[in-house]
Amino acid sequence: MNGITHADVIIIGGGIHGSSAALQLAKAGKRVLLLEKNYVARHASGVNAGGVRTLTRHMAEVPLSLASQHMWANIQEHVDDDCGFEVTGQIRVAENESDEKILSDRFTMMQSNGYIHEEWVDAVGVRDMIPSITPNILGGLIARSDGAADPYRTTTAFRLKAQQYGADIREGVTVKTVVRQGQGWLVDTTGGRFGSEVLVNCAGAWADQISAQFGEIVPLKPIAPMMLVTSRMPHFLSLVVLGTGRALSFKQRTNGTVLIGGGRLAWVDRDRDITELDFRTLADSARTVCDLFPHMRNASVNRGWAGIEASMPDGIPVIGASNTEQNLFHAFGFSAHGFQLGPIVGKILSELIITGSTNLPIEPFNISRFAASSQAPAGAYPFAT
Amino acid sequence: MSQVSNCEVAIIGAGPAGMAAALALTEYGLDVVVFDENPAAGGQIYRGITSSPLRDRPQILGKDYWAGEPLVKKFQACDAQKIHEAIVWAVSQQTSDFAPSHFEIGYSVNAEARLLHARHVLVATGAHERPFPIRGWTLPGVITGGAAQTLLKSNAIVPSDRIVLAGCGPLLYLIAWQYLNSGVKIDMLLDTTPKGRVLSLWPYLLDFVRSPYFLKGLNLVREVNSKVNVVKHVSELAANGVDALESITFKTGNQERTVEADHLLLHQGVMPNINLAQALGITLNWNDVIKCWEPVADIWGNTNVERVHIAGDAAGIAGAWAAESRGRLAATDIAFQLGKLTEQQRDTVAVKLRHDYVAVTRGREFFDRLFQPPVQFRRPTGDTVVCRCEEITASQVRETVKIGCTGPNQMKSFLRCGMGPCQGRFCAVTVTELIADERNVPEQDVGHYRLRFPTKPLTLGELAALPQTEDSIKAVVRLKKPV
Amino acid sequence: MFKRLPESEAQLNAHPVALKVNGMEVFCREGDSVAAALFAAGLLDCRDTPVKGVPRGPFCMMGVCFDCLVEINGMPNQQGCMVLAKPGMNIERQLGAREVQT
């Protein structure tokens, strides 16, 4: 077929943000076409730790995260699926005095900004909540309404609901070029040509390749954070535990398996969609886990993997309108902590596209912050995922 | 504390292919390390040959088994370093400390994780039983034909009470014959080879008649047929019981019968053990004759991954003699690639090896087609367990395809099938076939689970004891700075 | 049940290896894997599955099915068919997911 399929909005990328945007726009009556090069939730969105976290976010993300958390509380209504979401609480623990200072400074800062969702817990409190943690923990910062969900199931639920509202989801379709056509766009792909008025770039670890087509060069780095999962174990943990001074994300799922993450990186080739786990670095994760939870020495590691994600040098995503083109919007670069933001980002994009603005403070995420120079903005964020 | 060491060629697996390759490579003067999971060499076919209690009654296991002993003895005496009871859980290329020239092999011996660097890798991981998904195949009392053989060869342990063998293929008849030789009474052998199949394969028959297996096989089958109650053309099969096997129901023609049993030995062929190959990035192709995935390799064992060869049943089911030839061919090519042989020398050596290979694989076309597992035992329905580890049933898998799941990796995410410790060894082909069945597309298009390292489990404690590197300390998403 | 052929029985009697299996004393032959020892001692199943709690026993005897998981000397998830039985080993049934002691 040599024809062009038209839609109101074309979304590039079938991860959580693309699917969430597809849902909100289709719900608002727009003809939505989503183009995904593999299958929906193939990459970061399908294989992350599933953390639904407001805890210790970058200040710029906090308002968005809190708004997203409201949506998570009603996720069943939004997408007809509970997404495996459980409110278990997330806690960041202090292993030493340096950690303790970081967390206590954070607590002070949050209080002075009027945020109450992060609470300090002392050493005794932590051990009460987590009996199997090392007695050396000095305390922690907890967000009680945080938790975890199933990332593949969640992204799929958003996608299915979007389809119910009439969104057209095309998988196995890779975007080759995008050119201006009048006020709108002509997208040439491996699966045909598509036209639309509005274009949304949710292309994850490949989003810079898309944005570069419009002269928007961003210092996006593809990363592949590694995960390990154990075989089922007797229940010993209900919260999600995060490290402070050293990277750790540790949770036990309802089925008894334990998920170990934290941001240590695999080798990645984003052009071939392949990653290779770095076992020396995983050994480091293993040491961290065993230090914090000594009984985990005997845990059997069943599988490891690494999803391909986009990292921005300042640790926060790009969200908002293009700096160079009309009718072009971006949402990418979530730097290994975008999952929880999925619901709200779809809403933000939909508002921007339909009404031209959003109430949420998205200025810090503007792509223009990379326009001035090739140098990354200063101020690396202290907390790992 | 862990050790790291070096070699020129690492061979994974000390079955016939691995042993033959090790002999050839050491003859060419190369520095070789061979990993094997078992305490002694032999692979599965010659399992226990150095320690079998049945040495003094060699007629029980038969001539073909004991004929493997010279190879094992030569292997034991050769210069290759042998690491037994070694579980290889990863082979890294990019993240190896000595990338790109050396692979880094992660393995454990007695719960201690270690690393070895090798310039070249030969995958000789052999084969394992293919799944035989019938109702009740997970019941205690049900084991594979191969398991029965291992118990006999390595331990001289046999089932007693009421024993039924079921399935198709030469191994089933072999174990029956070995049981007869050891005085084990077999109640019944249920042969699932469909009616009329032999006749339909007449175009391949001439080749089979010329094969070395022909007479051997014929005699064995004839003896079993004369001494065991063999029920032919069994079309349906189920194992019944609550906490253990109690009875077996089967159908042949229009007749359904139920017999009480204490042991059911299931076998319908073997398939390449592909987990390590696929995790290494070797391409797989669907073999539509024997209905399983096979790594893609040429006659030298070259794969799409540079400096990784594959040989033996791991590359495609062809038996022990073919495995030796392919092992030697791979070794010869590796020696050439590592500069020990010129191309001409390599090609000269290969002439006889290739000739041998052709001779021992003659008749395989007939063989493979004759013993192709029947479709109802590859594409189960209802509450038949498909994924043993996660206890997922056939109807669950089929339903999930109906709601839009098109491939095994999505299926994994939906249902957890393939996420257990066996990593799909006993469910991958069934899942591929069920998806193909529901979608009405070829298995090649459906694809396979994306397998990753670690290909065998290891404990966090083992992993934690691996030595640190500079890079691993820095490799987190963001560097820490005070707020 | 499983039984030993005379050669196996003779080797066991000449050099018995003493094990504890679920609290009971069991003898096996030098060179037996734990799984083989359990079969010969009369046990067909060695664990309960974590999902449905149903009994399972060794299936493939070559380390690829992971149905022969047992607890050996306090360590869970040991493949019985891949571990050689050693004198004094304490082998226990692996129960789905038992409570952890902290």
Side-chain angles (χ1 to χ4, degrees):
Chain A
M1 235 186 71
N2 274 331
I4 300 171
T5 308
H6 283 279
D8 296 328
V9 183
I10 287 176
I11 300 171
I12 303 175
I16 184 75
H17 299 100
S19 303
S20 176
L23 167 57
Q24 297 292 348
L25 288 161
K27 190 169 166 180
K30 295 288 180 187
R31 279 177 312 152
V32 175
L33 184 63
L34 186 151
L35 305 173
E36 161 55 51
K37 71 182 183 73
N38 298 109
Y39 55 81
V40 168
R42 162 70 177 87
H43 292 288
S45 292
V47 298
N48 61 68
V52 179
R53 175 175 65 87
T54 61
L55 180 67
T56 56
R57 288 225 171 228
H58 191 289
M59 284 309 289
E61 286 180 359
V62 173
L64 274 66
S65 181
L66 292 175
S68 207
Q69 201 70 350
H70 284 304
M71 295 179 76
W72 274 102
N74 298 308
I75 201 79
Q76 174 78 43
E77 281 167 46
H78 284 301
V79 294
D80 299 336
D81 193 321
D82 68 43
C83 299
F85 175 43
E86 283 162 359
V87 178
T88 56
Q90 291 217 11
I91 185 166
R92 208 177 274 282
V93 297
E95 288 186 76
N96 50 47
E97 279 168 19
S98 156
D99 287 355
E100 207 179 359
K101 176 150 198 331
I102 292 173
L103 293 179
S104 114
D105 286 351
R106 165 78 183 190
F107 180 61
T108 309
M109 178 176 66
M110 292 304 272
Q111 286 212 305
S112 61
N113 276 283
Y115 291 121
I116 55 166
H117 60 280
E118 297 180 8
E119 302 168 40
W120 174 256
V121 182
D122 65 17
V124 173
V126 173
R127 282 206 298 284
D128 275 345
M129 283 190 278
I130 312 170
S132 49
I133 204 164
T134 175
N136 304 332
I137 295 298
L138 301 178
L141 207 59
I142 190 174
R144 293 186 197 271
S145 309
D146 284 359
D150 180 328
Y152 184 82
R153 185 172 157 191
T154 305
T155 310
T156 300
F158 272 82
R159 168 259 182 94
L160 289 173
K161 189 77 186 180
Q163 284 175 304
Q164 259 183 53
Y165 282 120
D168 183 355
I169 314 267
R170 305 282 177 106
E171 294 172 305
V173 172
T174 307
V175 169
K176 296 193 289 193
T177 58
V178 185
V179 294
R180 202 83 225 190
Q181 193 175 58
Q183 292 280 54
W185 303 100
L186 180 61
V187 182
D188 189 23
T189 76
T190 56
R193 293 190 301 157
F194 304 92
S196 70
E197 217 189 297
V198 174
L199 188 66
V200 185
N201 176 12
C202 289
W206 299 265
D208 59 331
Q209 294 174 336
I210 304 291
S211 70
Q213 296 196 31
F214 315 110
E216 294 188 289
I217 310 296
V218 292
L220 180 155
K221 184 162 165 265
I223 58 166
M226 300 190 286
M227 305 279 311
L228 292 176
V229 72
T230 67
S231 57
R232 288 179 173 77
M233 299 177 68
H235 258 277
F236 65 90
L237 181 68
S238 34
L239 290 100
V240 178
V241 177
L242 306 174
T244 302
R246 41 180 183 164
L248 177 71
S249 150
F250 187 73
K251 72 171 63 67
Q252 184 173 31
R253 310 199 292 212
T254 348
N255 65 25
T257 60
V258 176
L259 212 54
I260 300 163
R264 288 183 177 82
L265 303 179
W267 173 88
V268 57
D269 180 343
R270 70 168 173 179
D271 296 324
R272 292 189 289 155
D273 281 354
I274 57 175
T275 63
E276 186 182 284
L277 296 175
D278 186 331
F279 280 88
R280 305 296 197 102
T281 316
L282 281 174
D284 220 32
S285 281
R287 281 188 280 274
T288 307
V289 170
C290 292
D291 284 347
L292 284 169
F293 293 91
H295 76 278
M296 290 294 293
R297 297 201 75 78
N298 292 343
S300 180
V301 173
N302 233 2
R303 271 174 13 256
W305 66 90
I308 306 180
E309 163 66 300
S311 170
M312 306 310 293
D314 53 2
I316 58 173
V318 169
I319 306 173
S322 159
N323 216 25
T324 56
E325 299 283 347
Q326 295 286 346
N327 292 334
L328 170 63
F329 300 86
H330 299 291
F332 63 82
F334 289 87
S335 308
H337 53 262
F339 180 62
Q340 189 263 352
L341 298 173
I344 201 65
V345 165
K347 194 134 185 289
I348 291 169
L349 286 169
S350 157
E351 286 169 357
L352 288 175
I353 289 166
I354 294 174
T355 71
S357 67
T358 174
N359 283 334
L360 285 163
I362 61 167
E363 298 77 38
F365 307 107
N366 200 298
I367 197 171
S368 60
R369 72 192 196 266
F370 297 116
S373 67
S374 57
Q375 278 251 319
Y381 183 60
F383 291 107
T385 20
Chain B
M1 203 44 206
S2 309
Q3 318 144 20
V4 183
S5 48
N6 263 299
C7 69
E8 288 176 291
V9 186
I11 301 177
I12 304 172
M19 289 191 288
L23 287 174
L25 287 166
T26 49
E27 279 161 27
Y28 293 133
L30 285 163
D31 178 27
V32 178
V33 172
V34 183
F35 296 99
D36 193 84
E37 292 183 341
N38 292 313
Q44 299 311 318
I45 189 139
Y46 304 128
R47 188 98 181 246
I49 206 166
T50 55
S51 60
S52 174
L54 297 176
R55 176 173 294 278
D56 292 340
R57 286 200 283 166
Q59 67 277 16
I60 289 182
L61 296 175
K63 279 200 328 261
D64 283 344
Y65 174 77
W66 293 107
E69 197 169 19
L71 175 62
V72 175
K73 287 215 150 91
K74 267 192 242 152
F75 170 74
Q76 287 178 318
C78 82
D79 282 339
Q81 191 197 343
K82 299 112 192 151
I83 307 182
H84 282 288
E85 296 181 271
I87 314 282
V88 172
W89 37 263
V91 180
S92 305
Q93 304 172 66
Q94 309 295 341
T95 57
S96 160
D97 262 2
F98 293 99
S101 66
H102 283 67
F103 294 93
E104 187 168 271
I105 296 159
Y107 66 101
S108 290
V109 178
N110 293 327
E112 188 196 309
R114 307 179 194 164
L115 299 170
L116 177 101
H117 294 106
R119 288 176 65 189
H120 222 112
V121 171
L122 172 60
V123 177
T125 48
H128 56 78
E129 293 266 356
R130 67 168 301 133
F132 200 146
I134 59 168
R135 285 190 63 209
W137 70 304
T138 53
L139 285 170
V142 181
I143 62 173
T144 65
Q149 277 225 303
T150 294
L151 284 164
L152 180 64
K153 291 170 185 169
S154 300
N155 314 94
I157 288 173
V158 296
S160 57
D161 310 313
R162 297 161 299 188
I163 305 163
V164 174
L165 277 59
C168 61
L171 197 139
L172 196 66
Y173 282 82
L174 178 61
I175 184 72
W177 181 79
Q178 289 171 332
Y179 275 178
L180 288 175
N181 296 338
S182 42
V184 173
K185 180 183 173 302
I186 300 167
D187 286 57
M188 226 173 234
L189 191 155
L190 304 174
D191 191 319
T192 57
T193 312
K195 200 171 179 143
R197 195 180 260 185
V198 178
L199 284 175
S200 71
L201 295 174
W202 67 265
Y204 305 98
L205 204 50
L206 185 62
D207 238 20
F208 178 58
V209 169
R210 294 164 59 215
S211 103
Y213 298 102
F214 177 65
L215 273 177
K216 198 188 293 290
L218 216 55
N219 284 330
L220 198 140
V221 169
R222 209 179 317 142
E223 197 172 333
V224 171
N225 271 313
S226 68
K227 294 183 181 162
V228 176
N229 178 9
V230 175
V231 179
K232 292 205 187 294
H233 314 309
V234 168
S235 57
E236 284 172 29
L237 186 60
N240 313 308
V242 176
D243 289 332
L245 178 69
E246 289 164 29
S247 66
I248 296 162
T249 303
F250 62 92
K251 193 165 178 193
T252 174
N254 280 328
Q255 202 196 26
E256 189 181 277
R257 285 182 60 191
T258 297
V259 296
E260 290 186 350
D262 303 290
H263 294 278
L264 173 60
L265 273 51
L266 291 176
H267 174 81
Q268 56 173 6
V270 297
M271 21 184 265
N273 190 349
I274 53 161
N275 290 42
L276 198 135
Q278 213 226 9
L280 255 174
I282 298 174
T283 310
L284 301 175
N285 252 1
W286 179 257
N287 180 325
D288 206 38
V289 176
I290 64 172
K291 304 290 184 188
C292 69
W293 293 101
E294 251 175 28
V296 177
D298 65 18
I299 187 63
W300 300 108
N302 272 308
T303 67
N304 55 301
V305 182
E306 282 197 19
R307 306 187 341 267
V308 173
H309 278 63
I310 189 164
D313 274 3
I317 305 302
W321 298 338
E324 278 189 57
S325 299
R326 284 190 87 157
R328 284 203 162 258
L329 279 163
T332 308
D333 192 54
I334 293 170
F336 157 64
Q337 287 192 25
L338 287 172
K340 295 288 183 179
L341 294 177
T342 65
E343 195 167 358
Q344 201 185 22
Q345 287 171 320
R346 177 197 72 164
D347 291 346
T348 307
V349 172
V351 169
K352 177 165 194 312
L353 293 173
R354 291 173 90 134
H355 181 266
D356 289 345
Y357 179 74
V358 168
V360 299
T361 52
R362 191 167 288 136
R364 275 227 81 93
E365 299 229 301
F366 173 84
F367 224 58
D368 290 347
R369 283 168 174 76
L370 179 62
F371 299 127
Q372 184 191 82
V375 66
Q376 66 273 28
F377 300 123
R378 287 184 279 118
R379 299 184 173 192
T381 58
D383 60 3
T384 302
V385 169
V386 167
C387 169
R388 295 175 62 101
C389 297
E390 296 290 316
E391 305 172 73
I392 311 290
T393 66
S395 54
Q396 280 175 283
V397 174
R398 289 178 181 279
E399 279 312 308
T400 307
V401 181
K402 289 186 167 91
I403 65 168
C405 173
T406 53
N409 292 297
Q410 294 159 287
M411 186 66 68
K412 223 169 149 178
S413 301
F414 265 104
L415 291 180
R416 286 192 58 84
C417 59
M419 284 192 177
C422 98
Q423 299 186 349
R425 289 170 178 90
F426 276 98
C427 70
V429 287
T430 313
V431 170
T432 292
E433 289 238 36
L434 287 178
I435 297 174
D437 200 22
E438 289 292 324
R439 286 180 55 201
N440 205 15
V441 298
E443 293 88 337
Q444 180 71 38
D445 294 351
V446 170
H448 189 283
Y449 294 141
R450 193 177 310 116
L451 297 168
R452 312 283 319 238
F453 295 117
T455 41
K456 286 277 177 106
L458 70 163
T459 64
L460 272 180
E462 279 171 63
L463 189 53
L466 279 181
Q468 255 184 315
T469 59
E470 275 297 300
D471 286 348
S472 73
I473 298 166
K474 290 189 223 148
V476 291
V477 177
R478 284 178 280 277
L479 289 176
K480 297 285 160 292
K481 279 191 199 160
V483 179
Chain C
M1 292 305 117
F2 283 92
K3 69 176 189 204
R4 293 182 186 273
L5 291 177
E7 289 91 341
S8 182
E9 192 73 49
Q11 286 186 357
L12 189 159
N13 291 329
H15 302 283
V17 174
L19 312 169
K20 235 197 192 72
V21 176
N22 296 327
M24 290 186 327
E25 192 167 44
V26 160
F27 291 98
C28 73
R29 175 194 148 262
E30 268 178 16
D32 280 349
S33 63
V34 167
L38 294 179
F39 270 162
L43 280 94
L44 280 183
D45 56 292
C46 61
R47 73 177 181 115
D48 296 314
T49 59
V51 178
K52 299 195 174 144
V54 300
R56 293 278 180 95
F59 179 68
C60 77
M61 291 300 291
M62 60 172 280
V64 290
C65 76
F66 290 83
D67 260 325
C68 63
L69 299 178
V70 283
E71 198 175 279
I72 300 179
N73 295 342
M75 280 283 286
N77 297 313
Q78 303 297 295
Q79 288 174 283
C81 74
M82 301 294 281
V83 176
L84 281 175
K86 295 257 153 68
M89 255 182 184
N90 187 12
I91 298 151
E92 304 233 288
R93 188 183 186 79
Q94 177 138 315
L95 302 170
R98 231 175 316 127
E99 284 302 19
V100 77
Q101 316 301 319
T102 39

